[in-house]
Amino acid sequence: MALRRYTTIVDGTIPISALLYNDEELLASQDNVGIYDGYQKAIDHQSGAIHVTTHRLFFINTRSPATQSFTMDLSHVIRTDHYAGLFKSSPKVTLFLDANSVSNSGDENHVDARFESWECEVCSYRNPPGLSPAAAQVCGLCGVPRNAVPAPTSQTPSEAPTPLISFPTSSTSLPGTPSRSGSPPHGNGDPDSIACSACTFLNHPSLRICEMCFTTLPTVSQRFEYNKTKSAPPSRPVSPVSTAADPANLLIKLSFRKGGDKALYNILKRALKARVWEGRQIGKVLRNGQSNMGAVSPAGSSTPAFLRTGIGGIIENVNASVKNTETELSDAFQDLEALMVKARDLVQLAAELNEKLNASSTVASTSRSASPLPPFVVPSVASQSVPNSIFAVTSLVPSAEPEEAKFIRSSLSQLGLQMTNAPVTPDMIRDERRWIEELARELAGVLQGTSDDVLGQKPSGIMRQRGIVGLDEVWGGWNRARGVALIPPSTFLQTIQFLPDCTSPPIYNRTFKSGFRVLHTPPFTHASFTARLLGYLMLSEVLTTSQIAQEENITLSLAAEMIEAVEVDGVVCRDDERSAIRGGGGGGSDSELRWSLNTFAEYVWDGQTFD
Amino acid sequence: MQLTTHTTPSGFLLPSIHAAHAFFTEQPNPITQNTFVNNWIQLILSYARHRRLFVIRVEDAEVAGGDWDEVLRNERINRRVIPSYLTSLISAMVSRDLAYYEPPKQTRSVVLLWRLPEEWADVLHSWGTATGQINTILTMYEITDPPVPSPLSGIPLSLLRRAITVLTRSGRAQLIEVADGEGVRLLAGGK
């Protein structure tokens, strides 16, 4: 903002000495300088040479000198500051700019005017071009200000808006022309008329509000500022940029990437003190007059009354609300960042507190068990172990009060500030127990569906049709049902211990000899299955494993596991088909087992005997 | 299905358990298996005594057509003892001193002790007494293959030697070294 407002573009390909006014002097130069526009780096001006003259500051961009170089009048500078630099931060010179002064479009006008000579009204001396703006206001011979004579007459109709515009024309046209708009336009249309930014109607230059739509018209200065960008048509100024008196808009920083800051800063200060640009008083008066007229200050008390009407008012309102939102948003983000910083502290505090609790509890327990120390000794030991902790005071109480320590720790874990590397202590398990129980309840829902029905016919759930399910299937199904925050196997194994309490009929966990684990309902306990199996075998004498699996509606491997568990009791015995004479497995390992009741426990020899 | 006993063509009465399928399969349950092994050993020794078989080999389970087919195979229920099961049965017998590996240092063939060496010693001594050969020097061949069949006919040499050793220890026989072999002289003394 500051750059745009206070500087004017120059063609950096021209040698610096050719850019100077006749009465201007080059004081110092420095390479490798970057520009900060306000507090932000100006992206397009990051490397260039800075030149200090008696009147101005030049920045010649090394990358694109033709378009990205600029000059700024030293008259804008009200204060300077020097920053020596630290580590990777380069030394910087900050130029605080005058909020009341704007880029002198008048001066800008004189860039053109510089190359025109003018004749003094008083002594008819033909003043040569090329002087600095201030100096150009005064006749070089007699010292009379340039517009001393025309001013009283010409200023009446259009007092302030374009006081300086008159100067270039004054040398060619009549100085006493009543209205500037009356002068013949050069180029396409009247250069003085102001195009409305909303409806593009060309308004009379003395108007500040569009005749058609009441939109605030761009000020002359802004118009000229815009005009110097070559691509835009002269009659279509941009909508007025709100240049609020934001401090960031009022400073420019010069960053000295390769040093040389001190020497240049001293010269700059001297140049500012000398105030060479203030040639005569008149220049300053004019500038002041112009700055008063420029509608750059939105705080102006007279304008808002107009702004609330018409399209202009609407646009203004919208702009204001947008600006409001922006500031609120940035404020909110600042809050968030602050919170993030705080969160780190909070986590650290939690860690400290945990450590504290551990230390105090161990100290307390050892002291209680080992030696009958007086109770007040314990806190002192505890606080000595971590003397710098701010929780040293609070730890005094928990060391004696395990209940409170438990409460603090459980609150911490509920806040998500539980330390992962903290050892699992019984009191933490107690708190975790409730969590596990909750999990068990959830798992019960997954297994049995909505637990409305007591028996069978569950609408959904892994175990709705089956009484026995492998643990791996349950785990996978549960996590699939959860979708997020998956349960690790360790927690799962903890959870299933609580499962019988949450399910009806109760679901138990069972581990077979091979390590295969299942969840099962009461009908699939060992005893019930044994009884059922014996019933089957009583009926059909011999059954294969697959027949039993079919009968029980369970998988083959599961049936084999369960039958083998029964076999351990010795109530059934197997018949391997490998021992068949004809057919059978013929030695294959996958031959089928056939099961029969073990009726031989009480067998008495009934074969051949010898006396 | 009620299991029944069965009489083989050789006149041996097979026990009813021999008709159970499970009897031919090695049981993982140690208690069940122990019952089965006991019955198998009794069956094998009974049959050996019935048929005067002194030796059982793992080959008898591998190849059909041997002396042991009536026991190791049950055509009626389509079951047989697989060689690995027979091996474990043999080792069970050896561990219970009801058989010994012959030749030693292998596990595929055993001499069955349906009579213990002490019993064989008594049989030998009473046979010598009955046939009036006390104090006579007998060659081994004359004992194992006498012209008149005796209870000792066909007894393996290693088993005979064990029996003689038992007699020698109790002073009822004397082992004599001769030029081309060895002889034994039964003595009347002893208990």
Side-chain angles (χ1 to χ4, degrees):
Chain A
M1 282 297 140
L3 270 189
R4 185 165 167 198
R5 187 169 158 194
Y6 290 102
T7 64
T8 48
I9 289 173
V10 295
D11 190 348
T13 51
I14 302 170
I16 188 73
S17 50
L19 289 165
L20 300 180
Y21 301 125
N22 286 359
D23 50 346
E24 196 176 8
E25 217 180 342
L26 181 64
L27 297 174
S29 303
Q30 178 60 45
D31 287 337
N32 288 308
V33 176
I35 301 296
Y36 279 66
D37 188 4
Y39 296 108
Q40 308 295 324
K41 279 185 180 176
I43 296 158
D44 294 325
H45 306 99
Q46 278 310 295
S47 124
I50 199 93
H51 303 278
V52 179
T53 71
T54 50
H55 289 65
R56 290 178 290 177
L57 202 65
F58 283 90
F59 178 79
I60 307 300
N61 204 322
T62 34
R63 209 164 296 154
S64 47
T67 54
Q68 300 291 356
S69 302
F70 66 79
T71 174
M72 187 186 73
D73 288 287
L74 288 180
S75 59
H76 299 310
V77 178
I78 52 171
R79 196 157 57 85
T80 59
D81 201 355
H82 180 243
Y83 166 69
L86 187 74
F87 300 123
K88 294 182 77 179
S89 167
S90 321
K92 290 181 187 67
V93 168
T94 311
L95 306 176
F96 294 91
L97 304 174
D98 190 356
N100 292 325
S101 74
V102 274
S103 174
N104 285 334
S105 53
D107 292 357
E108 196 55 41
N109 220 19
H110 278 280
V111 172
D112 304 322
R114 266 196 317 198
F115 306 107
E116 292 177 28
S117 58
W118 58 283
E119 200 176 295
C120 178
E121 307 280 343
V122 176
C123 66
S124 299
Y125 172 70
R126 192 151 195 90
N127 283 284
L131 285 174
S132 66
Q137 305 302 315
V138 178
C139 174
L141 187 65
C142 63
V144 173
R146 194 178 177 184
N147 58 346
V149 177
T153 46
S154 66
Q155 294 304 330
T156 20
S158 59
E159 157 74 53
T162 58
L164 295 174
I165 289 171
S166 60
F167 301 137
T169 50
S170 63
S171 59
T172 50
S173 66
L174 285 174
T177 325
S179 166
R180 204 57 56 226
S181 58
S183 65
H186 52 83
N188 49 347
D190 188 353
D192 294 343
S193 60
I194 304 167
C196 172
S197 58
C199 67
T200 72
F201 179 77
L202 293 171
N203 289 279
H204 189 274
S206 62
L207 289 172
R208 280 187 288 169
I209 292 169
C210 179
E211 271 184 294
M212 293 293 125
C213 64
F214 295 101
T215 305
T216 311
L217 292 175
T219 61
V220 177
S221 63
Q222 285 164 338
R223 193 164 71 95
F224 274 96
E225 199 178 347
Y226 184 78
N227 273 353
K228 70 190 179 243
T229 61
K230 291 156 188 139
S231 61
S235 60
R236 290 289 176 267
V238 288
S239 58
V241 182
S242 95
T243 48
D246 187 339
N249 287 343
L250 294 176
L251 60 89
I252 286 174
K253 284 191 194 174
L254 314 177
S255 177
F256 292 83
R257 301 275 148 72
K258 296 265 171 73
D261 51 313
K262 269 185 193 143
L264 195 112
Y265 182 56
N266 287 335
I267 290 165
L268 182 68
K269 272 204 294 192
R270 220 175 299 139
L272 287 167
K273 209 176 266 180
R275 302 179 83 80
V276 179
W277 59 87
E278 290 183 12
R280 305 287 140 82
Q281 191 66 16
I282 185 157
K284 199 171 186 188
V285 169
L286 282 172
R287 203 177 302 123
N288 283 349
Q290 189 201 17
S291 68
N292 285 343
M293 285 323 295
V296 277
S297 54
S301 56
S302 60
T303 39
F306 292 101
L307 290 175
R308 295 303 164 214
T309 54
I311 297 175
I314 296 169
I315 291 174
E316 196 67 26
N317 272 341
V318 169
N319 283 344
S321 67
V322 165
K323 203 170 151 70
N324 252 351
T325 322
E326 262 172 22
T327 49
E328 273 168 22
L329 213 62
S330 66
D331 279 358
F333 276 122
Q334 271 174 5
D335 284 354
L336 206 63
E337 273 163 20
L339 189 68
M340 278 161 73
V341 173
K342 285 283 169 210
R344 205 170 302 130
D345 288 348
L346 208 58
V347 169
Q348 214 165 351
L349 276 185
E352 232 165 63
L353 186 55
N354 230 330
E355 205 172 279
K356 206 71 212 104
L357 288 172
N358 287 340
S360 61
S361 62
T362 49
V363 168
S365 60
T366 48
S367 67
R368 222 175 278 151
S369 60
S371 59
L373 282 174
F376 56 82
V377 175
V378 177
S380 67
V381 172
S383 58
Q384 272 168 11
S385 62
V386 193
N388 288 334
S389 167
I390 57 161
F391 280 93
V393 184
T394 58
S395 71
L396 306 185
V397 185
S399 64
E401 304 271 348
E403 279 302 318
E404 288 181 24
K406 201 175 296 170
F407 175 73
I408 291 174
R409 203 167 290 175
S410 67
S411 330
L412 282 177
S413 67
Q414 274 165 13
L415 282 169
L417 295 174
Q418 193 180 333
M419 292 298 104
T420 47
N421 56 356
V424 177
T425 51
D427 52 84
M428 290 183 73
I429 284 177
R430 200 176 129 188
D431 189 58
E432 214 167 79
R433 191 192 158 108
R434 269 176 50 214
W435 180 57
I436 298 278
E437 281 173 355
E438 278 302 314
L439 283 180
R441 218 156 289 141
E442 179 190 311
L443 179 57
V446 172
L447 291 176
Q448 301 187 319
T450 49
S451 52
D452 298 334
D453 334 354
V454 178
L455 287 169
Q457 304 305 316
K458 273 113 192 169
S460 62
I462 295 172
M463 295 180 77
R464 63 189 185 281
Q465 296 289 334
R466 296 178 289 168
I468 187 161
V469 181
L471 213 56
D472 50 343
E473 191 186 339
V474 174
W475 185 67
W478 188 21
N479 272 335
R480 216 173 305 142
R482 283 174 71 89
V484 292
L486 304 184
I487 296 296
S490 55
T491 310
F492 177 60
L493 292 179
Q494 277 181 297
T495 304
I496 56 179
Q497 292 167 4
F498 293 96
L499 205 52
D501 305 332
C502 309
T503 50
S504 67
I507 289 176
Y508 298 102
N509 168 36
R510 180 174 171 191
T511 308
F512 289 110
K513 215 170 89 187
S514 66
F516 183 48
R517 304 184 71 157
V518 293
L519 292 180
H520 63 90
T521 49
F524 286 88
T525 55
H526 180 62
S528 318
F529 179 75
T530 305
R532 255 195 332 277
L533 180 62
L534 295 184
Y536 297 143
L537 292 177
M538 216 94 80
L539 281 174
S540 21
E541 303 273 351
V542 173
L543 284 174
T544 63
T545 306
S546 59
Q547 279 169 329
I548 294 166
Q550 211 165 359
E551 195 78 37
E552 289 284 299
N553 198 17
I554 53 179
T555 61
L556 202 61
S557 59
L558 189 57
E561 293 275 6
M562 294 185 75
I563 297 164
E564 275 167 32
V566 175
E567 186 188 29
V568 171
D569 297 344
V571 292
V572 295
C573 52
R574 62 171 65 192
D575 165 30
D576 198 326
E577 276 196 339
R578 277 181 293 178
S579 49
I581 297 172
R582 295 171 298 274
S589 59
D590 54 346
S591 60
E592 179 124 64
L593 290 178
R594 292 143 60 87
W595 300 93
S596 56
L597 290 173
N598 181 10
T599 52
F600 311 105
E602 305 295 321
Y603 176 76
V604 182
W605 180 259
D606 55 356
Q608 184 97 18
T609 50
F610 301 93
D611 299 324
Chain B
M1 179 175 72
Q2 193 57 47
L3 302 178
T4 53
T5 55
H6 178 76
T7 308
T8 63
S10 66
F12 182 75
L13 181 68
L14 286 171
S16 61
I17 199 171
H18 195 256
H21 291 82
F23 193 53
F24 291 83
T25 300
E26 210 169 349
Q27 300 293 324
N29 183 340
I31 298 164
T32 312
Q33 178 63 8
N34 194 42
T35 310
F36 283 11
V37 166
N38 287 343
N39 284 303
W40 266 116
I41 290 172
Q42 186 168 4
L43 176 61
I44 289 170
L45 293 180
S46 304
Y47 188 71
R49 185 173 180 172
H50 173 74
R51 292 275 312 271
R52 291 190 57 79
L53 299 172
F54 289 93
V55 175
I56 190 167
R57 300 180 186 83
V58 178
E59 287 83 51
D60 292 324
E62 288 167 348
V63 183
D67 290 331
W68 289 97
D69 276 4
E70 286 180 355
V71 169
L72 296 183
R73 302 167 78 86
N74 189 344
E75 298 285 345
R76 291 167 293 136
I77 59 165
N78 189 24
R79 285 293 177 273
R80 67 191 170 98
V81 172
I82 58 173
S84 62
Y85 193 18
L86 183 58
T87 306
S88 74
L89 287 175
I90 286 171
S91 70
M93 284 192 283
V94 170
S95 67
R96 295 183 195 189
D97 281 332
L98 296 171
Y100 64 88
Y101 292 120
E102 177 64 36
K105 294 174 183 167
Q106 52 83 46
T107 56
R108 290 182 63 83
S109 115
V110 285
V111 169
L112 297 167
L113 297 175
W114 40 273
R115 277 194 183 118
L116 295 177
E118 292 77 21
E119 293 171 328
W120 280 117
D122 288 343
V123 170
L124 175 59
H125 197 261
S126 50
W127 171 74
T129 309
T131 52
Q133 298 187 79
I134 302 294
N135 292 325
T136 310
I137 294 173
L138 298 164
T139 63
M140 296 296 179
Y141 180 75
E142 283 171 323
I143 297 170
T144 60
D145 197 7
V148 179
S150 78
L152 294 164
S153 299
I155 190 170
L157 211 57
S158 58
L159 181 56
L160 180 58
R161 248 189 221 111
R162 286 183 181 220
I164 292 168
T165 309
V166 171
L167 288 178
T168 313
R169 240 181 254 141
S170 59
R172 290 183 286 165
Q174 193 180 7
L175 204 59
I176 294 164
E177 295 286 334
V178 292
D180 55 345
E182 48 189 0
V184 64
R185 178 197 287 176
L186 296 173
L187 302 170
K191 31 173 189 177

